[in-house]
Amino acid sequence: SDEELIAFYQDPEQRRIAVAAGLYLIPFAGIAFVWFFVALRMWISASAPRASVMLSNVQLVSGIIYTTLVLAAGGAMSVPAVTVELSNEAVDPFLTRQLPQYGASLLLVFAMRMAAMFVLTTTNLGRLSGILPKWFILIGFVTAAGLLLTASFSSWLVFVFPGWVLVFCVVLINRARKISRDLVVTEPGELVQLRRAAGS
């Protein structure tokens, strides 16, 4: 109801949680994701120099668009709380309904489609370069299809893509531990085996 919305945004503690999430948590999450997918692209290019240029470019663009949509969604969802926090203006129940709904649409509909494209292209690149196990490739295709085809406004949907990224990171860390320390990158996409001279 209007009364409940007004009470929520007039409560300083609840309002500041929304401000902190929109102005601090979501932007830093976006920055972390940018670092993640740029480092991932560098690793894939070093592991598979002949990887598909088209897949690589679609992965890059979908990652950028996903990050942009998440940041826009966070901004839209936090606008009512920030407005009340910074200006002490009266709470407008209409705007406090519309702006968070707009943010939810950006996040749950549009950003999830871009996340699906990122998962799909990353899974294909991992399959072509041989850095992903078969069981995770299957999970990647199922996750991509689910994110692409699901038409839901359930807040639980936002945990699917970060969950996939978390498992993906565990797989990559486990893979990195198995790489010989004698391997060094001399040229982009080239790994060279070095021989350690005994006693040198």
Side-chain angles (χ1 to χ4, degrees):
S1 65
D2 289 357
E3 291 75 18
E4 289 172 329
L5 284 172
I6 292 171
F8 175 85
Y9 285 104
Q10 286 181 341
D11 183 344
E13 291 184 6
Q14 295 188 29
R15 185 175 68 236
R16 284 168 188 162
I17 290 173
V19 171
L23 298 186
Y24 296 99
L25 181 61
I26 291 178
F28 280 108
I31 291 169
F33 182 69
V34 168
W35 277 92
F36 163 75
F37 78 76
V38 170
L40 176 63
R41 284 173 54 80
M42 292 178 66
W43 190 4
I44 290 173
S45 66
S47 302
R50 296 178 183 174
S52 169
V53 175
M54 185 184 77
L55 284 176
S56 182
N57 287 335
V58 172
Q59 181 200 40
L60 174 64
V61 172
S62 61
I64 292 171
I65 296 175
Y66 171 79
T67 306
T68 304
L69 289 170
V70 168
L71 294 176
M77 291 179 185
S78 61
V79 162
V82 172
T83 301
V84 174
E85 183 71 23
L86 298 181
S87 66
N88 292 320
E89 291 185 7
V91 177
D92 184 344
F94 176 77
L95 289 179
T96 56
R97 281 193 184 89
Q98 295 300 313
L99 287 170
Q101 187 63 36
Y102 172 65
S105 298
L106 287 177
L107 184 62
L108 298 174
V109 178
F110 300 100
M112 289 303 106
R113 301 307 185 267
M114 289 300 103
M117 293 307 302
F118 184 86
V119 172
L120 183 63
T121 53
T122 302
T123 300
N124 270 306
L125 288 168
R127 178 180 61 83
L128 294 173
S129 63
I131 65 172
L132 293 179
K134 291 181 180 179
W135 64 268
F136 190 71
I137 291 171
L138 179 61
I139 289 175
F141 286 136
V142 170
T143 302
L147 290 172
L148 190 62
L149 301 176
T150 300
S152 171
F153 276 84
S154 171
S155 58
W156 289 102
L157 188 61
V158 300
F159 294 107
V160 174
F161 182 57
W164 178 85
V165 170
L166 180 62
V167 176
F168 185 65
C169 289
V170 171
V171 169
L172 290 184
I173 289 170
N174 187 43
R175 181 83 179 208
R177 288 179 178 171
K178 296 177 181 178
I179 296 175
S180 171
R181 294 188 180 198
D182 293 342
L183 289 176
V184 295
V185 177
T186 57
E187 296 290 336
E190 292 185 9
L191 294 176
V192 176
Q193 181 78 33
L194 296 180
R195 293 180 180 176
R196 292 181 178 173
S200 60

